[in-house]
Amino acid sequence: MSQADSASFGPAGDPRMRGFKARTDVTELASWIAARIQTLASEEVGIAEASGRVLAQDIKAGAPVPPFDRAAMDGYALRGEETYSASAYAPAVFRCVGRSQPGRPCEPSVAAGKAVQVATGAPLPRGADAVVPVEATRSDGRRVMVHEAVPVGRNVSHRGEDIEAGAIVLGAGRLLRPQDLGILSLVGASTVRVVRRPRAVALVTGDELLPAGLPARAFQIPDANSVMIAALAARDGALCQIVGPLPDDEATIEAALQEAAGSADLILISGGSSAGPEDFVPGIIARLGRVVAHGLALRPASPAGIGLIGPAELPVVMMPGNPVSCLCAYDIVAGPIVRRQAGRPGPWPYRALALPLSRKLTSALGRVDYARVKIDQGAVEPLSISGASILSSVSRADGFVIIPADCEGYPAGASVVVWCYDEREQAAPCRPEALGQSPAVHQSTRNAHQTPQG
Ligand code: AMP
Ligand code: MG
């Protein structure tokens, strides 16, 4: 695939029982996603619901914040220059002519030799230019003795000092943080336009699967992927509905895909995308639309792919059933699509750490490796159990290292970038004894290294 908008790419034909003849380059697939997947339209939400949403408009302050000059401390408002000679031994004496309280207009004004008692947030009285903190005063009710000099402007919060009228306070594309909601309120926004949350459907297939959470029984295993996919998609801004587990039955899967296509912005289908006789998914996608890529130069998750179905060309991500491959397919293929739709394009939502390898990390030329690693005493340790079915390997891992397709790996001691699953150190590590490993030592050094990613 050389043009990002080419109709389709990757190996043609049915790989069942024959395997993949050629595999799509992961970097090219990432370019296709970036060029093809659009951010969804916006919707209006109340600011109390806006945290974690992506702004779809610039927010401009219509008025200055704060809207009036106000006291920044409890104390007395006065003319600062009249305190310049004040000290503990020779206090400056003022006549207290009234009070200014928060939320009310201030009637008294300050003239030479006068002070007004003020509370934090109350309007600054006319004529005053400084506030002396109550701790630097004594008062007998009528008189205030000031025993510290306060420069003009001290402890006064000026109109517009926080936000100037007309300023863009938050730009379109911003992932709103809790403190941003406070800003929205201060500039008078009660609702904001945010990118609509993508509606994702996690469609899980496999004759051997029991619904997530049920105990395994005679040759059947609980579905591990739906809950994992739904959590990942929710983290990336989607609302995810789980459908299944469905049997490996062509008509059932096709009907479920068609039904999901009626309401979803994106379908993430687990299982049935490989090269076994029961792997119907690519064929169904080809019938309902077209397969864009199937079979990636990626380990694990080589059976992953993307299709577009229906007149709206709804993206469908084919994710291998093996849970580790499924996670890798999410990180490389599905996550970038969810985040683009949600208005959160850009780097992975993982913390990047550059650390030395404790031993060599090898890879085959021609494919991208998603190598799970542990961080132990500041060094990166490749996990030896790397089979795609060993989900505990990713629970035990602190993160992953991406080995690009044109690289055979790295020697011991080389600095590599680890994409950490956790945002910060875990208070309680996963039970390493149960997984046969010693506890990981987490590092917190940050860096901004760039590594190819989806
Ligand atoms: P498939 O991609 O359908 O060929 O499945 C590959 C392997 O992953 C098989 O061993 C399946 O039993 C297993 N598997 C498939 N789907 C799931 C799932 N949702 N949860 C846990 N294991 C699965
Ligand atoms: Mg299967």
Side-chain angles (χ1 to χ4, degrees):
M1 182 197 61
S2 46
Q3 318 96 298
D5 59 351
S6 65
S8 71
F9 56 90
D14 186 348
R16 280 181 297 164
M17 303 318 282
R18 287 191 279 121
F20 297 101
K21 287 206 201 78
R23 293 177 197 267
T24 300
D25 180 82
V26 167
T27 316
E28 287 183 12
L29 190 65
S31 307
W32 183 89
I33 291 169
R36 176 72 203 214
I37 303 297
Q38 306 277 320
T39 295
L40 299 179
S42 64
E43 64 183 358
E44 190 120 353
V45 297
I47 58 170
E49 280 80 55
S51 186
R53 304 295 299 270
V54 175
L55 257 187
Q57 62 173 136
D58 287 341
I59 300 291
K60 199 169 170 176
V65 178
F68 53 89
D69 289 348
R70 61 187 183 183
M73 295 276 278
D74 296 328
Y76 293 89
L78 39 64
R79 295 179 179 182
E81 65 175 33
E82 293 186 312
T83 66
Y84 285 175
S85 63
S87 71
Y89 304 105
V93 182
F94 293 81
R95 190 153 70 81
C96 184
V97 294
R99 290 170 74 188
S100 180
Q101 291 168 275
R104 300 187 189 183
C106 174
E107 299 303 342
S109 62
V110 164
K114 293 181 179 157
V116 168
Q117 192 191 352
V118 290
T120 306
L124 190 74
R126 265 178 325 237
D129 59 23
V131 171
V132 55
V134 68
E135 295 82 358
T137 66
R138 267 181 303 115
S139 168
D140 63 10
R142 282 187 54 245
R143 287 182 318 156
V144 187
M145 275 64 75
V146 174
H147 48 78
E148 243 178 58
V150 281
V152 170
R154 178 65 56 86
N155 302 323
V156 173
S157 152
H158 289 285
R159 171 181 156 90
E161 76 169 15
D162 196 347
I163 299 164
E164 283 177 21
I168 303 286
V169 283
L170 297 166
R174 174 155 181 115
L175 182 61
L176 291 171
R177 302 167 170 173
Q179 58 265 48
D180 296 338
L181 309 191
I183 297 282
L184 290 170
S185 177
L186 286 179
V187 301
S190 58
T191 61
V192 277
R193 293 211 73 83
V194 293
V195 176
R196 189 164 67 66
R197 295 185 72 176
R199 289 175 304 234
V201 169
L203 216 155
V204 177
T205 70
D207 279 338
E208 72 280 40
L209 299 177
L210 297 165
L214 289 193
R217 64 169 186 242
F219 306 109
Q220 288 198 294
I221 57 165
D223 152 39
N225 293 345
S226 63
V227 283
M228 179 174 74
I229 296 169
L232 288 162
R235 177 201 67 189
D236 287 343
L239 296 163
C240 192
Q241 185 202 348
I242 294 170
V243 173
L246 302 178
D248 288 310
D249 174 73
E250 205 165 358
T252 309
I253 296 171
E254 181 164 341
L257 264 175
Q258 274 180 312
E259 193 186 331
S263 61
D265 299 304
L266 169 70
I267 299 173
L268 308 173
I269 181 161
S270 154
S273 73
S274 195
E278 306 288 278
D279 292 325
F280 301 118
V281 173
I284 298 171
I285 292 175
R287 264 203 306 285
L288 299 180
R290 63 195 165 93
V291 173
V292 174
H294 181 216
L296 307 184
L298 174 66
R299 191 184 78 164
S302 64
I306 299 186
L308 297 169
I309 63 169
E313 302 222 295
L314 183 81
V316 182
V317 180
M318 292 175 259
M319 308 174 77
N322 261 320
V324 179
S325 309
C326 187
L327 174 65
C328 172
Y330 186 89
D331 276 334
I332 303 288
V333 187
I337 297 179
V338 173
R339 290 192 296 275
R340 285 198 81 76
Q341 288 191 332
R344 305 179 183 194
W348 269 312
Y350 297 124
R351 188 167 56 121
L353 288 180
L355 293 169
L357 274 170
S358 64
R359 54 190 166 85
K360 74 176 177 187
L361 184 55
T362 52
S363 169
L365 274 181
R367 68 163 191 237
V368 168
D369 251 76
Y370 174 99
R372 282 81 68 208
V373 298
K374 257 164 42 73
I375 299 172
D376 201 351
Q377 296 177 23
V380 180
E381 188 140 324
L383 283 168
S384 44
I385 304 168
S386 56
S389 62
I390 310 297
L391 187 58
S392 60
S393 76
V394 278
S395 271
R396 196 167 67 236
D398 293 311
F400 58 91
V401 170
I402 293 291
I403 310 170
D406 61 359
C407 173
E408 285 183 285
Y410 306 104
S415 175
V416 291
V417 173
V418 180
W419 297 93
C420 298
Y421 291 124
D422 296 318
E423 278 160 29
R424 53 197 160 95
E425 287 87 336
Q426 288 204 338
C430 77
R431 298 271 313 280
E433 325 75 80
L435 302 170
Q437 295 282 321
S438 60
V441 175
H442 296 257
Q443 302 297 308
S444 57
T445 352
R446 276 181 176 273
N447 84 86
H449 272 235
Q450 276 298 311
T451 285
Q453 58 174 281

